[in-house]
Amino acid sequence: MLNTTTYFGTDGTLVLSDARDFDADAFALLLPQDGQVARVTNVTLALRMDLRPFHEMGARYPSELRAGNIAISGTVERAYINGALLRLMIGQYAIEPEAAGLPIPSFTMKLAVDNLAPAGEQGNSILTVYGVMFDSWQANLPEDDFMLERLTFAARRIQVDDKEIEG
């Protein structure tokens, strides 16, 4: 049965793991506790599919829709800056400007939400995003609010695991 539980922002955790083409020791130092990214906010995940309609002459509606390319993207925000997410974006270039030929990090991101609602309804969902690469970083320093860093990413594939937990 599909999960029909609603979630609140505090129900979710974001975990980064499985760094490919990247120094695994540096990855572990940047993100302790099995890759859990602490105190993230405003995580977004978007999937876009290009649909190509085929219109026959004289017809207002398409006679066929064909699936095209699929694009996966999203954003992550965090309320402090310590260089970890920026280093996950540009790898060794973040600390050695003359580094040549070093790979840009690619990793797996898991967004896990678990709801233990007071009404007794329980459920969880895990969105696993594979081949994630950060493609932009931005620091926002507002006059009267928390400083946030914001990164956008692109990914290769997404997998959804919905579970309804019997109470």
Side-chain angles (χ1 to χ4, degrees):
M1 177 177 230
L2 292 177
N3 188 8
T4 58
T5 307
T6 57
Y7 299 105
F8 198 71
T10 56
D11 295 333
T13 57
L14 180 67
V15 177
L16 305 180
S17 63
D18 193 25
R20 300 201 191 271
D21 299 326
F22 188 55
D23 183 357
D25 293 333
F27 189 80
L29 287 174
L30 291 173
L31 300 166
Q33 302 169 358
D34 297 327
Q36 185 168 345
V37 181
R39 299 175 59 156
V40 293
T41 184
N42 296 332
V43 176
T44 64
L45 185 58
L47 183 121
R48 189 189 82 243
M49 181 182 296
D50 293 331
L51 293 177
R52 298 182 182 138
F54 176 75
H55 292 271
E56 294 175 350
M57 283 208 34
R60 293 191 84 149
Y61 297 102
S63 59
E64 187 175 343
L65 291 175
R66 288 281 176 112
N69 295 332
I70 296 173
I72 301 167
S73 62
T75 62
V76 173
E77 290 184 357
R78 194 166 67 153
Y80 57 90
I81 295 178
N82 66 4
L85 291 182
L86 187 57
R87 183 153 181 213
L88 283 176
M89 179 179 172
I90 59 176
Q92 197 68 18
Y93 295 107
I95 55 174
E96 294 179 27
E98 298 299 320
L102 294 175
I104 300 298
S106 171
F107 46 88
T108 299
M109 180 184 292
K110 288 187 179 183
L111 179 60
V113 286
D114 190 8
N115 185 9
L116 300 175
E121 297 176 11
Q122 298 181 21
N124 65 13
S125 292
I126 299 175
L127 301 170
T128 306
V129 187
Y130 298 96
V132 174
M133 292 180 81
F134 288 125
D135 59 5
S136 73
W137 178 85
Q138 176 184 9
N140 184 15
L141 182 57
E143 182 178 340
D144 58 351
D145 204 355
F146 293 103
M147 180 176 184
L148 293 176
E149 64 179 336
R150 180 176 194 254
L151 289 100
T152 61
F153 63 85
R156 296 180 53 119
R157 183 171 69 91
I158 187 170
Q159 177 180 331
V160 180
D161 184 22
D162 286 334
K163 292 182 181 173
E164 183 178 20
I165 301 170
E166 298 295 326

